[in-house]
Amino acid sequence: MNRTLVFDSPFLLGFDHTRSLIERAAKAAAESYPPYNVEDRGEGALRITLAVAGFTPDQLAVTVEDRQLIVAGKREGAADEAYLHRGIAARGFVRTFILADGMKVEGAILAHGLLHIDLARPEPERLVQRIPIKTAG
């Protein structure tokens, strides 16, 4: 895998994890199903809305693992139905979103074929740490 030139700077120490996050985000951006919106609701709150027409709550799963929000849909059955035209996708999916430090998933609501996932970023505490200086010898 090609390394990003920015992360090869000797002044950026310990950013290997950030590089892997960027690579995971690039992979997730290539996914196109189901379509989604990300809405800024102010004061650090976000709402992700996914178009999941035809899915029931028990066919959907929303999980957070290692700062990654994973939304999965699994459809079973309906294989024996005969369609003259099928324009509504009936396939399962997995869509991932990388969460920043401190982001919390507050809940998920399914309404009118749309899955709304609300996230919040609480205001971080300001931390000032004084490092003692020792003398040698």
Side-chain angles (χ1 to χ4, degrees):
M1 203 167 263
N2 293 340
R3 297 181 84 178
T4 307
L5 187 59
V6 172
F7 291 106
D8 289 334
S9 170
F11 301 108
L12 297 173
L13 303 175
F15 282 87
D16 294 338
H17 183 69
T18 303
R19 180 183 319 126
S20 71
L21 285 175
I22 291 171
E23 290 168 357
R24 283 186 357 205
K27 181 181 174 188
E31 301 169 1
S32 63
Y33 177 77
Y36 68 95
N37 292 336
V38 179
E39 177 184 354
D40 183 352
R41 298 176 63 100
E43 298 181 20
L46 299 173
R47 172 174 270 185
I48 300 171
T49 301
L50 292 99
V52 292
F55 284 88
T56 62
D58 54 331
Q59 294 173 322
L60 296 167
V62 179
T63 57
V64 177
E65 181 181 335
D66 189 30
R67 291 185 3 205
Q68 184 168 275
L69 172 64
I70 303 166
V71 183
K74 187 172 185 179
R75 294 188 80 173
E76 297 174 0
D80 57 346
E81 295 177 2
Y83 291 92
L84 297 178
H85 171 76
R86 187 166 194 163
I88 300 172
R91 65 185 184 267
F93 67 90
V94 175
R95 177 159 296 277
T96 59
F97 300 89
I98 309 300
L99 301 179
D101 285 337
M103 290 295 293
K104 303 282 185 207
V105 176
E106 294 192 323
I109 301 168
L110 180 63
H112 307 292
L114 298 174
L115 177 63
H116 304 285
I117 303 169
D118 292 321
L119 303 113
R121 181 190 319 225
E123 191 68 32
E125 296 179 21
R126 183 177 168 117
L127 178 66
V128 177
Q129 182 181 8
R130 183 171 179 107
I131 310 299
I133 301 173
K134 299 177 184 176
T135 58

